[in-house]
Amino acid sequence: MSAKGGKGGKGTPATVAASRAKIDFTLHPYEAAGDGGSSYGEEAADALGVPHDRVFKTLVTEVDGALTVAVVPVGASLSLKALAAAAGGKKAAMADPAAAERSTGYVRGGISPLGQRKRLPTVVDSSAAGHGTVYVSAGRRGLQMELSPADLVRLTGAATGPIAAP
């Protein structure tokens, strides 16, 4: 296990969860420009010089009325229809941002799929498996966590499926 590039202290709930699970990960801090709007993930990829298909954004949705997490590459959109199918539901929609923040314990732009306040059903886009490591939010703006896709899926208890739309 490593937390290269991290700061001292107890870390974020995401880094604590990964450490407790004895998962190898590397932290990558970067200077967040502020309000990234809907492109926090692309901002992170650009700041770190990482291809957009290796940096994954965490989107909180509702599948048949239940909050569900979707993890997709930052350069792609989420296919709500594909997410619903992968999660075993009929209909998916984006969750209210305030509900997402309350449920996860993170702020928009820093929502991590790991260490959420309330563990939500999660679906990771199957493209993650094509990379040795992927990047996800480490639980705050300006900090990404690099880990293996298998560890991401295992720690979140995620299903996988082709949920990204081109």
Side-chain angles (χ1 to χ4, degrees):
M1 162 181 38
S2 75
K4 298 176 210 155
K7 296 182 178 177
K10 72 173 194 158
T12 68
T15 62
V16 169
S19 293
R20 281 189 185 145
K22 299 186 181 351
I23 286 177
D24 287 328
F25 65 93
T26 304
L27 293 178
H28 297 278
Y30 64 95
E31 193 64 40
D35 183 14
S38 61
S39 61
Y40 291 110
E42 290 179 352
E43 174 189 307
D46 293 344
L48 296 171
V50 177
H52 288 200
D53 65 339
R54 283 190 59 210
V55 179
F56 283 68
K57 57 189 171 185
T58 305
L59 302 172
V60 181
T61 66
E62 288 186 15
V63 175
D64 295 343
L67 290 178
T68 302
V69 173
V71 183
V72 297
V74 299
S77 297
L78 172 64
S79 167
L80 292 169
K81 185 176 181 178
L83 172 64
K90 294 182 188 237
K91 184 176 181 188
M94 294 306 297
D96 174 67
E101 290 180 346
R102 269 192 313 275
S103 178
T104 64
Y106 295 118
V107 297
R108 210 171 134 246
I111 295 177
S112 177
L114 308 173
Q116 296 177 358
R117 181 178 291 148
K118 179 180 177 192
R119 187 168 175 170
L120 299 174
T122 302
V123 180
V124 174
D125 185 67
S126 53
S127 69
H131 302 287
T133 60
V134 294
Y135 293 69
V136 296
S137 174
R140 68 173 169 81
R141 294 176 191 157
L143 188 62
Q144 290 284 306
M145 174 186 290
E146 181 182 5
L147 72 166
S148 79
D151 284 340
L152 172 63
V153 168
R154 183 171 59 83
L155 189 54
T156 58
T160 59
I163 61 171

